[in-house]
Amino acid sequence: MSQATTIRVLIADDHAIFRQGLATIINRDPEMQVIAQAENGEQAIALFREHQPDVTLMDLRMPEVEGVAAIGAICATAKSARIIVLTTYDSDEDIYRGLQAGAKGYLLKETEPDELLNAIRTVHRGQKYIPPDVGAKLVQRLSNPELSERELEVLRSLAQGMSNADIATALSIGEGTVKSHINRILNKLDVSDRTQAVIVAVKRGIVSL
């Protein structure tokens, strides 16, 4: 296949060995070529602007700028960017945030090489690539009530083990307001106490410990 019609791929991942393995798999396909590799989100944004790849493979957890922020920054200036999230994280919140930021596909790093190459071709054609298990988690996430920014702040504080008084001081709000936020959080997460709320939030990828 001629250079002009080769699918040009950018890889963004902070693990060098994984990047090199990925590049080997992709470059083995005569229809594809890895044209650049980024080791963090900031570099991914810069290399995307420099090389204008056809498809970008983006990890979610990277230094400097995380994957979701990098996807958002790229899509803000390149509406037609074709980005596939390739990560070890499969919580419904991670999937939701990645696709909401503008990614066209979502794959786990345990994906077989043939499926990866198929996903690259699919997204390159302008279609989305969402495996059934990922799609099921996305549907579940979309059916859950949305937490407000303030509720997320309170939930993160709970995950840090802070008391109502500590949270009130940290967020400059009254303890009664904190209790109201916690009650709404419990209702939205469908749990009965603070500990369960944190466990569910961590499991779903809403907060991290």
Side-chain angles (χ1 to χ4, degrees):
M1 181 167 284
S2 67
Q3 184 70 25
T5 54
T6 298
I7 300 174
R8 301 163 63 254
V9 180
L10 164 64
I11 298 172
D13 194 285
D14 59 334
H15 293 99
I17 291 177
F18 180 76
R19 287 199 310 272
Q20 291 168 14
L22 205 54
T24 299
I25 292 170
I26 294 170
N27 286 331
R28 200 180 293 148
D29 189 304
E31 299 178 355
M32 301 180 192
Q33 178 188 11
V34 174
I35 46 100
Q37 298 183 36
E39 61 185 28
N40 59 58
E42 187 175 7
Q43 204 175 78
I45 297 168
L47 288 174
F48 182 93
R49 289 172 180 163
E50 178 184 348
H51 295 282
Q52 297 294 308
D54 299 312
V55 176
T56 299
L57 300 177
M58 183 82 71
D59 192 12
L60 286 184
R61 304 287 196 273
M62 290 187 293
E64 307 298 335
V65 176
E66 67 163 359
V68 169
I71 293 169
I74 289 171
C75 292
T77 56
K79 304 294 184 185
S80 61
R82 294 177 169 89
I83 302 173
I84 299 172
V85 172
L86 183 59
T87 184
T88 56
Y89 300 93
D90 67 343
S91 71
D92 55 4
E93 194 68 21
D94 283 319
I95 295 167
Y96 173 75
R97 290 176 66 230
L99 296 175
Q100 186 185 48
K104 301 296 190 292
Y106 200 106
L107 291 174
L108 299 180
K109 289 184 177 180
E110 62 198 41
T111 298
E112 292 293 329
D114 285 348
E115 184 177 5
L116 169 68
L117 298 175
N118 183 36
I120 292 173
R121 288 190 179 88
T122 300
V123 170
H124 180 249
R125 289 196 300 267
Q127 300 172 312
K128 292 192 174 185
Y129 193 93
I130 313 292
D133 54 339
V134 171
K137 290 193 175 186
L138 180 62
V139 170
Q140 181 181 0
R141 168 60 180 81
L142 293 174
S143 67
N144 291 325
E146 193 86 28
L147 293 174
S148 69
E149 280 302 317
R150 180 61 89 185
E151 288 163 357
L152 286 171
E153 288 178 328
V154 172
L155 186 54
R156 292 186 192 108
S157 299
L158 290 178
Q160 293 169 15
M162 295 171 66
S163 67
N164 287 6
D166 292 336
I167 296 172
T169 301
L171 300 181
S172 300
I173 56 179
E175 278 194 63
T177 304
V178 173
K179 290 178 182 177
S180 296
H181 284 311
I182 291 175
N183 285 333
R184 283 197 292 273
I185 290 168
L186 298 183
N187 286 332
K188 289 183 177 181
L189 296 182
D190 195 23
V191 295
S192 58
D193 61 48
R194 303 157 69 107
T195 302
Q196 287 181 332
V198 172
I199 291 172
V200 169
V202 170
K203 184 179 180 181
R204 285 179 47 192
I206 299 172
V207 299
S208 56
L209 297 177

